[in-house]
Amino acid sequence: MSPGREQAERELIELSERAWEANRNGDAEFYDRFLTEAPLSVSQWGIVDDREAILKGFAENRNPYTRTDLSDHRVTVLNDGGATHTATVEIDVLVNGTDKQTMRIFATTVLTRRDGEWKAALFQITPAPAG
């Protein structure tokens, strides 16, 4: 692996960890900086392509994540301006703020480099079998 790709891999793994931390904290400001102008979110709960609705969901944090453990990181650098990051994430969530549940997912983010910073264009989560 070339030094540039190794650096991009480390950078994207760290960025993914920060994004999940922001998710736990309801930090919509982080996502306002992190998302492209037209992001897409795909999950078992539906497809959302409304940037303001995505940010509102992070800010409201109705089902807060109290733990997000990432493993099995996989980064694919597509070119100097594009990459994907996939990981397995085990999440403790408080459904409706009170009902603790644990879920395991595969999470993929498609990123593009804009003005020297990685921006998320697409998030997709898929339920994963129990580990």
Side-chain angles (χ1 to χ4, degrees):
M1 185 182 302
S2 72
R5 287 187 184 257
E6 286 178 23
Q7 179 180 346
E9 183 173 315
R10 282 191 308 272
E11 187 178 346
L12 291 171
I13 290 170
E14 288 174 13
L15 185 56
S16 179
E17 295 279 356
R18 285 199 317 267
W20 283 99
E21 178 183 4
N23 191 325
R24 288 192 312 271
N25 295 329
D27 186 354
E29 288 181 25
F30 171 88
Y31 280 95
D32 190 33
R33 294 184 309 273
F34 183 48
L35 298 177
T36 62
E37 61 280 348
L40 181 64
S41 173
V42 181
S43 72
Q44 65 264 39
W45 301 288
I47 298 172
V48 181
D49 62 359
D50 178 333
R51 188 176 198 282
E52 292 307 312
I54 292 169
L55 292 173
K56 182 179 178 186
F58 283 117
E60 290 177 349
N61 205 16
R62 290 186 182 173
N63 300 298
Y65 294 173
T66 58
R67 179 180 66 91
T68 54
D69 288 338
L70 282 72
S71 62
D72 304 321
H73 294 275
R74 295 188 182 149
V75 173
T76 302
V77 177
L78 305 171
N79 56 41
D80 289 342
T84 65
H85 172 269
T86 300
T88 303
V89 187
E90 189 167 297
I91 301 166
D92 288 340
V93 58
L94 295 175
V95 177
N96 297 317
T98 59
D99 181 22
K100 182 180 175 187
Q101 296 180 19
T102 298
M103 62 182 178
R104 190 168 182 265
I105 62 167
F106 299 122
T108 298
T109 306
V110 176
L111 302 111
T112 184
R113 193 178 273 290
R114 304 259 171 90
D115 299 322
E117 294 185 352
W118 289 107
K119 303 287 183 179
L122 171 107
F123 294 102
Q124 179 168 354
I125 63 170
T126 303

